Amino acid sequence: MRVVILGSGRGSNAEAILLARQAGRLGRAEVVQIFSDRPDAGILALGPRFGVPAAFLDAAPYKTKLDGAAEEHYIAAIMACRPDILVLAGFMRVIKPRFLEAFAGRIINLHPSLLPSFPGLDGIGQAWRRGVKISGCTVHYVTSEVDGGPIIDQSVVRIEPDDTLETFAEKIHAAEHALLPSVIARLSEHR
Ligand code: GAR
């Protein structure tokens, strides 16, 4: 199963996927390409480290969505990788219908809350400020509804009395790093 990863940030989840692959825990999946919409994103440094092609793809002039000529550019570049699945690992742009149609049913996203609670930006901070005692992370198929597609799997994180926003965020990230590779491995076995 050919996997293309898209991310905008430090890439800790992409790293977890690549480490799982190294350890033989990614089933029949292999990462064939990493793309980022930010030239300075940490996720791009994983390419040379793991021997996977990694490239910046400009999404200007938009800041929060993938649209217009940039969307076409993304579709062409990703199509050229012949992906079986596209993993959004901290890709912070809204995906539009043209892109969704190009990769229908093949895009999964990671979100740092138990959806449908706390969709959108800063799922960790939203849950923290709301004072919930249980949160977690979600992997779901991407549809036109932001953070609203069918849920594939979730992992639970409990907020303890001595947690701070920082320790809570660390727990969420640890849960993500376990969940996302395991979902990819499972999907690869069921193709
Ligand atoms: C992750 O916590 C992921 O859940 C979140 O971005 C972070 C990326 O971290 N995604 C979203 O909030 C999407 N709505 P990373 O760059 O270290 O993998």
Side-chain angles (χ1 to χ4, degrees):
M1 184 175 82
R2 295 171 66 83
V3 178
V4 170
I5 303 177
L6 264 62
S8 308
R10 65 188 175 124
S12 68
N13 286 283
E15 181 183 31
I17 294 167
L18 291 160
L19 287 171
R21 164 81 184 168
Q22 270 188 350
R25 288 186 287 103
L26 206 61
R28 297 150 66 90
E30 69 170 318
V31 179
V32 296
Q33 177 77 51
I34 298 168
F35 285 123
S36 179
D37 59 334
R38 299 185 51 137
D40 55 348
I43 194 170
L44 290 177
L46 297 171
R49 205 176 122 203
F50 287 91
V52 172
F56 162 62
L57 281 185
D58 201 350
Y62 307 106
K63 295 224 174 338
T64 58
K65 63 179 179 178
L66 195 54
D67 209 348
E71 184 184 39
E72 294 302 330
H73 179 46
Y74 265 75
I75 291 170
I78 295 166
M79 283 281 190
C81 303
R82 295 180 289 111
D84 296 303
I85 194 157
L86 258 174
V87 177
L88 307 187
F91 187 65
M92 304 308 272
R93 283 177 189 269
V94 174
I95 302 293
K96 309 290 279 189
R98 203 27 224 110
F99 189 94
L100 283 173
E101 278 160 27
F103 305 105
R106 286 187 283 163
I107 313 174
I108 66 171
N109 180 50
L110 171 68
H111 186 78
S113 74
L114 291 178
L115 290 172
S117 293
F118 312 120
L121 289 178
D122 193 18
I124 296 175
Q126 288 187 61
W128 178 257
R129 288 188 291 278
R130 187 64 185 78
V132 297
K133 299 300 167 211
I134 292 172
S135 190
C137 53
T138 302
V139 179
H140 65 95
Y141 284 108
V142 176
T143 63
S144 54
E145 187 190 344
V146 175
D147 296 330
I151 291 170
I152 304 171
D153 204 355
Q154 297 182 304
S155 180
V156 169
V157 168
R158 187 165 263 289
I159 299 168
E160 304 294 349
D162 60 350
D163 269 325
T164 62
L165 174 57
E166 288 67 35
T167 61
F168 171 50
E170 278 167 23
K171 288 185 190 173
I172 294 282
H173 293 312
E176 291 184 319
H177 298 163
L179 181 69
L180 186 55
S182 79
V183 166
I184 294 169
R186 245 181 293 146
L187 291 176
S188 81
E189 301 293 356
H190 292 114
R191 292 188 70 251

